[in-house]
Amino acid sequence: MWSGPRNISTAMMRSFSSRPDCFVSDEPFYGAFLKETGADHPMAEEVIASMETDWRKVAEALAGDPPDGSPVWYQKHMAHHMVGPIAPDDLEGLTHAFLIRDPHLMAASYARKRETVTSADLGLRLQREFFDRECQRLGHAPPVIDSAYVLAEPSGVLSQLCWALGISWDPAMLSWPAGRHPQDGIWASHWYGHVEASTGFESPDFTDPLPLAPALQAVADACMDDYLHLSRFALRNA
């Protein structure tokens, strides 16, 4: 699942982890991204020390069998992490899907966790580029879900997603226990406070965000074309 930050991506990981047939992984390329780029992210040193940082070793592991032998392996990825020698296309044998959100909402939420926000941080350009390549490879659009539709109709949209992925729908995906998950990355203490308090999907965010500062507005506006390009394909409640 290719996403950007502040995009219910961790809630989606919680949802899939509630399936008894599914193992989940939390941003497995994050350490490699930080080591390669030197990006000034919160807890960067701790993240690098906590996980494999060789891009190729991570990709090789992700293309193998789920660590616990589960039939389904849900891999949560940030599109903007793929700026090193490995691209999403190199993850062969996997089914790719895309999670998007209005970039104005993303920018407003991300700014509460980092002092500076750029369009690259939101990852929508890379999501679009990979989505277009997947369309060409498959001959049709891969699954796209918009966080607003997931929050508005979680059972309807997630059942559509499961159908598109070729797996059964499980109502267990609608709820999860509060607190930390065993597969959460070490960065959870900085980023996951809200989802750790949750037990399911919350109210939809179709409403307009609060007015953004000019710099944040410019970031969000720069991402809108890419968001709208992907949103045309977003699954909705049947």
Side-chain angles (χ1 to χ4, degrees):
M1 182 64 76
W2 296 97
S3 178
R6 317 312 292 170
N7 190 11
I8 74 164
S9 57
T10 308
M12 283 294 299
M13 185 176 70
R14 289 284 192 278
S15 174
F16 273 83
S17 73
S18 296
R19 298 176 60 104
D21 63 350
C22 185
F23 182 83
V24 301
S25 291
D26 190 11
E27 302 182 30
F29 285 106
Y30 195 14
F33 162 77
L34 291 174
K35 184 177 179 180
E36 177 82 12
T37 64
D40 183 20
H41 279 214
M43 301 181 65
E45 292 183 2
E46 294 93 330
V47 173
I48 291 171
S50 72
M51 60 196 307
E52 178 61 64
T53 58
D54 185 308
W55 294 88
R56 291 176 176 82
K57 288 182 179 179
V58 176
E60 182 179 358
L62 295 175
D65 295 326
D68 68 346
S70 293
V72 179
W73 189 356
Y74 182 89
Q75 300 172 5
K76 170 193 167 191
H77 293 293
M78 294 289 111
H80 64 284
H81 289 172
M82 305 303 287
V83 295
I86 296 288
D89 314 66
D90 295 312
L91 298 179
E92 298 179 351
L94 304 181
T95 300
H96 300 283
F98 297 80
L99 172 62
I100 59 173
R101 188 187 188 193
D102 183 326
H104 297 87
L105 296 167
M106 293 175 70
S109 179
Y110 195 71
R112 291 194 286 269
K113 294 293 184 177
R114 291 189 70 194
E115 291 185 4
T116 59
V117 183
T118 68
S119 59
D121 290 326
L122 303 188
L124 279 155
R125 174 57 55 85
L126 292 176
Q127 278 186 290
R128 177 179 180 171
E129 291 175 358
F130 182 38
F131 172 83
D132 287 346
R133 293 198 300 273
E134 274 294 280
C135 286
Q136 293 180 352
R137 185 179 73 85
L138 296 171
H140 59 81
V144 178
I145 54 173
D146 190 309
S147 65
Y149 298 130
V150 175
L151 295 173
E153 294 284 354
S155 61
V157 175
L158 292 180
S159 61
Q160 290 291 305
L161 174 64
C162 289
W163 180 84
L165 295 174
I167 61 177
S168 62
W169 158 243
D170 189 337
M173 296 173 67
L174 297 176
S175 62
W176 50 83
R180 193 73 53 87
H181 188 280
Q183 299 304 321
D184 287 352
I186 194 173
W187 51 90
S189 60
H190 180 82
W191 295 98
Y192 293 176
H194 187 74
V195 76
E196 287 177 5
S198 71
T199 57
F201 293 102
E202 299 181 350
S203 59
D205 57 6
F206 282 108
T207 55
D208 292 332
L210 294 173
L212 298 176
L216 281 181
Q217 183 70 40
V219 167
D221 289 349
C223 297
M224 276 302 292
D225 282 348
D226 298 320
Y227 166 73
L228 293 173
H229 177 78
L230 290 162
S231 70
R232 295 182 294 134
F233 302 91
L235 299 173
R236 305 193 188 193
N237 185 4

